[in-house]
Amino acid sequence: MSKIFIFLCFNILALGNLAHVSSAHKLGIYELKKGDFSIKVTNYGARVVSVILPDKNGKLADVVLGYDTIKEYMNDTGHFGAIVGRVANRIGGAQFTLNGTHYKLDANEGTNMLHGGKKGFSQVIWKVIKHEKRGPSPHITLFYHSADGEEGFPGGVLVFVTYTLSEPYKLSVTMKAKALNKATPVNLAQHSYWNLGGHDSGDILSDELQIFASHITPVDKMLIPTGEIVSVKKTPYDFLSPHVIKTPIKELPNGSKGYDINYVLNGYKTKKMKPVAVVYNKKSGRVMKLSSNSPGVQLYTGNYINNVKGKGGYVYQAYAALCLETQGFPDSVNHLNFPSQIVTPGKTYKHYMLHTFSSKKD
């Protein structure tokens, strides 16, 4: 654990009523800017509101889906740009047993829990504890205190996320969490919806995608992992070699409209940074390379987006963007063969993402 992180934890604890500190903080939108590369973040859900990048001809565009106002984010059900948790993705039956104690959670997707429940981290106000708009490394750090028993989870947790810009066109996301008094699952994810052609450019089906994963964790009809880890070879889930997204969608099983599956990243047993994915939009020439220290990544192709009025009044439809949510495996609390996401008091959860953007001519 870094000395800076320990310092932040002790200083925030000294503030006393942490829940009050977080909920009382005013809502705002904060910009980070480095040349013609900029992002905006709101402390409602620690969400990325915009990411503006040049294309192969130097033309700027916003490449993430979103809304014009914070009020619209409050009514959002798709977690646009948010940090989701305490446990991202799904927990089967909204329950688990840890150290002999059974915990019943707040179900918000049928009988299951999705992205932390009805009041997950995407729907709370975070406190901005540092913001540097410009400079060598523009960055913003946000903090949230998740109380003992929140959405049914055990123990209090201090959560920090930092967004940083660096050259050339790099966006890093650092997520850390410290369990205060009880062992608890923690699995945070950054839930931006990417369309490298521009948020208002149509669908992403013609984008070229590569994912550095030879296996997936298959799911049942409720999208809960079965506990298996299976090869992508000779299946429509194989993106080991780059190809356009639309080609294999029609081959997905069980009438699936698109992708919503966890990929087991190659080298997933190590916590070191590793390549995750590469996305290429031919029309704009924009490329996004993603790396992370997480064991998995959820590929979601926006299958259920339907008539969502977004930024500038543009109406988003199915496949308007894709999500690449680096994460621990879904429902890991109920599958002992999956990498553990349990954080014990005194230990720190650390999740890193690095997005490297570029552009190329045909």
Side-chain angles (χ1 to χ4, degrees), residues 169-206:
Y169 300 106
K170 292 182 179 181
L171 166 62
S172 66
V173 186
T174 299
M175 293 165 269
K176 293 185 179 182
K178 182 176 176 62
L180 293 178
N181 50 6
K182 297 178 184 176
T184 187
V186 178
N187 184 16
L188 307 179
Q190 211 294 323
H191 208 300
S192 285
Y193 287 69
W194 299 96
N195 186 326
L196 296 182
H199 80 97
D200 55 357
S201 65
D203 65 58
I204 46 80
L205 294 175
S206 296

Side-chain angles (χ1 to χ4, degrees), residues 63-290:
V63 297
V64 293
L65 271 55
Y67 305 101
D68 290 323
T69 67
I70 294 175
K71 184 177 180 181
E72 290 171 291
Y73 281 99
M74 290 180 170
N75 296 320
D76 167 54
T77 59
H79 309 279
F80 280 11
I83 296 294
V84 293
R86 179 177 307 190
V87 174
N89 216 302
R90 294 171 176 88
I91 296 179
Q95 58 187 323
F96 65 94
T97 299
L98 177 61
N99 296 333
T101 300
H102 187 73
Y103 295 96
K104 184 63 179 172
L105 308 173
D106 181 15
N108 64 326
E109 189 184 59
T111 59
N112 304 313
M113 171 180 270
L114 174 65
H115 291 331
K118 295 175 184 176
K119 188 189 173 186
F121 292 177
S122 63
Q123 295 157 309
V124 298
I125 301 172
W126 294 57
K127 179 178 176 59
V128 176
I129 57 176
K130 192 171 185 181
H131 175 220
E132 290 189 13
K133 179 178 178 178
R134 300 178 186 272
S137 297
H139 61 277
I140 184 170
T141 298
L142 304 100
F143 158 77
Y144 177 66
H145 170 243
S146 180
D148 186 4
E150 187 171 292
E151 303 303 288
F153 288 107
V157 178
L158 303 182
V159 189
F160 299 83
V161 59
T162 299
Y163 297 104
T164 304
L165 302 188
S166 58
E167 292 179 329
Y169 300 106
K170 292 182 179 181
L171 166 62
S172 66
V173 186
T174 299
M175 293 165 269
K176 293 185 179 182
K178 182 176 176 62
L180 293 178
N181 50 6
K182 297 178 184 176
T184 187
V186 178
N187 184 16
L188 307 179
Q190 211 294 323
H191 208 300
S192 285
Y193 287 69
W194 299 96
N195 186 326
L196 296 182
H199 80 97
D200 55 357
S201 65
D203 65 58
I204 46 80
L205 294 175
S206 296
D207 283 8
E208 191 177 89
L209 175 65
Q210 181 178 21
I211 301 178
F212 299 93
S214 302
H215 296 78
I216 58 168
T217 53
V219 294
D220 62 21
K221 63 182 180 180
M222 299 299 291
L223 300 181
I224 303 299
T226 62
E228 300 170 282
I229 296 176
V230 302
S231 173
V232 300
K233 189 176 181 180
K234 296 183 179 180
T235 78
Y237 297 104
D238 187 351
F239 283 94
L240 285 166
S241 296
H243 57 78
V244 295
I245 295 168
K246 66 181 176 184
T247 302
I249 278 185
K250 60 181 178 295
E251 302 172 11
L252 289 170
N254 304 319
S256 297
K257 295 181 178 180
Y259 292 92
D260 193 3
I261 194 76
N262 174 64
Y263 281 79
V264 178
L265 294 172
N266 296 339
Y268 76 95
K269 292 183 180 181
T270 175
K271 294 183 179 180
K272 295 180 180 180
M273 295 292 286
K274 54 186 130 342
V276 174
V278 180
V279 186
Y280 170 52
N281 178 267
K282 186 175 181 179
K283 186 175 181 180
S284 70
R286 292 189 184 93
V287 179
M288 180 177 78
K289 295 181 180 180
L290 175 62

Side-chain angles (χ1 to χ4, degrees), residues 2 17 24 57 65 130 180 274 291 305 323-324:
S2 71
N17 189 338
N57 298 313
L65 271 55
K130 192 171 185 181
L180 293 178
K274 54 186 130 342
S291 59
I305 299 173
C323 300
L324 289 165

Side-chain angles (χ1 to χ4, degrees), residues 14 19-20 33 55 163 216 222 264 295 302-303 307 309 342 357:
H20 173 75
K33 188 170 179 61
D55 69 3
Y163 297 104
I216 58 168
M222 299 299 291
V264 178
N303 320 326
N307 293 324
K309 186 178 179 181
I342 302 302
F357 302 97

